Amino acid sequence: MPLVGTYATLVLLDAAAHGEQLFAAFSGAADDADWTYLPYGPFESVDDFMSWLFHVEGQTDPMFFTVVDNRDDTCAGLASYLRIDRYAASVEVGHIHFSRDIQGTPATTEAMFLMMVNIFAAGYRRYEWKCDDLNVPSRAAALRLGFSYEGTFRQATHYKGRNRDTAVVWYDRSGLAPGASRIRALARPQQFRCRRSTAESTS
């Protein structure tokens, strides 16, 4: 079942159907900064990207979704559920990669909200978001959505020739109902216009 919102829709990754649009969306960036904290990429060619996409398509953990921008029905991002522990009723969200076209728009906030609501509706209790401790924008995005900082795993892993300390934030199912209206408010377009205006006035 697709996860349908006002600004974004999430569907299970279909490499053949989504791959070329996703590659075009990610390649539209002027630099490779968006790949810095992902353990793969950037991909030099659409063939390399498609090879990776077909490899992860259909996996159940991580389970990849394509983020569709409802403004024009184009594929504009990826996100996944991973470390799915049915016994502990815990799931992590990760592999989050939004194209520059939807970064800083209501679509990204709504996409994360839809994934969270879906997993709690399925009976899970704990929803985790882990990121490189150096990835300040990622942690800030999670905290903005109402996640709570839990701690940092030092030297948790290494990738791309460098160490990774992993920051852990989490969301409790009991906090979803009181937090839902606040998150929906954060996804309103005027919130993003205000944030851009503030950034422009202080730059």
Side-chain angles (χ1 to χ4, degrees):
M1 287 286 292
L3 307 180
V4 181
T6 302
Y7 309 105
T9 297
L10 292 101
V11 295
L12 285 173
L13 171 64
D14 181 332
H18 306 156
E20 291 189 4
Q21 280 192 12
L22 285 170
F23 182 76
F26 296 150
S27 299
D31 54 59
D32 294 328
D34 294 339
W35 298 97
T36 300
Y37 298 110
L38 292 169
Y40 42 78
F43 298 94
E44 294 184 1
S45 69
V46 66
D47 289 341
D48 290 342
F49 179 68
M50 292 296 292
S51 178
W52 172 79
L53 214 60
F54 277 113
H55 174 70
V56 301
E57 175 192 33
Q59 293 183 5
T60 57
D61 193 347
M63 180 185 297
F64 275 85
F65 291 82
T66 296
V67 181
V68 177
D69 183 354
N70 287 353
R71 293 176 298 183
D72 54 9
D73 293 327
T74 58
C75 301
L78 288 170
S80 77
Y81 294 132
L82 66 155
R83 295 186 177 88
I84 301 168
D85 187 333
R86 290 179 173 80
Y87 178 78
S90 173
V91 179
E92 179 183 342
V93 61
H95 298 281
I96 302 166
H97 189 176
F98 297 129
S99 74
R100 297 283 173 90
D101 285 343
I102 64 169
Q103 289 179 22
T105 73
T108 59
T109 297
E110 186 176 58
M112 293 296 93
F113 179 63
L114 290 170
M115 290 186 72
M116 182 164 57
V117 168
N118 181 61
I119 213 67
F120 287 142
Y124 288 84
R125 306 182 308 149
R126 176 182 172 90
Y127 195 53
E128 295 181 338
W129 180 315
K130 297 176 183 175
C131 63
D132 192 311
D133 195 48
L134 296 175
N135 192 350
V136 175
S138 178
R139 180 161 45 166
L143 295 176
R144 178 174 172 268
L145 289 169
F147 285 74
S148 299
Y149 174 68
E150 192 165 53
T152 298
F153 298 154
R154 303 297 177 187
Q155 297 190 20
T157 187
H158 56 88
Y159 66 126
K160 294 184 175 179
R162 62 180 184 271
N163 174 64
R164 168 171 156 157
D165 296 338
T166 296
V168 182
V169 297
W170 75 293
Y171 207 103
D172 181 349
R173 182 173 62 184
S174 65
L176 182 62
S181 59
R182 186 183 62 83
I183 297 173
R184 289 192 182 97
L186 288 173
R188 292 172 184 162
Q190 56 266 36
Q191 291 288 334
F192 292 85
R193 287 196 293 270
C194 290
R195 287 167 59 202
R196 282 196 291 268
S197 296
T198 301
E200 289 166 2
S201 66
T202 57
S203 61

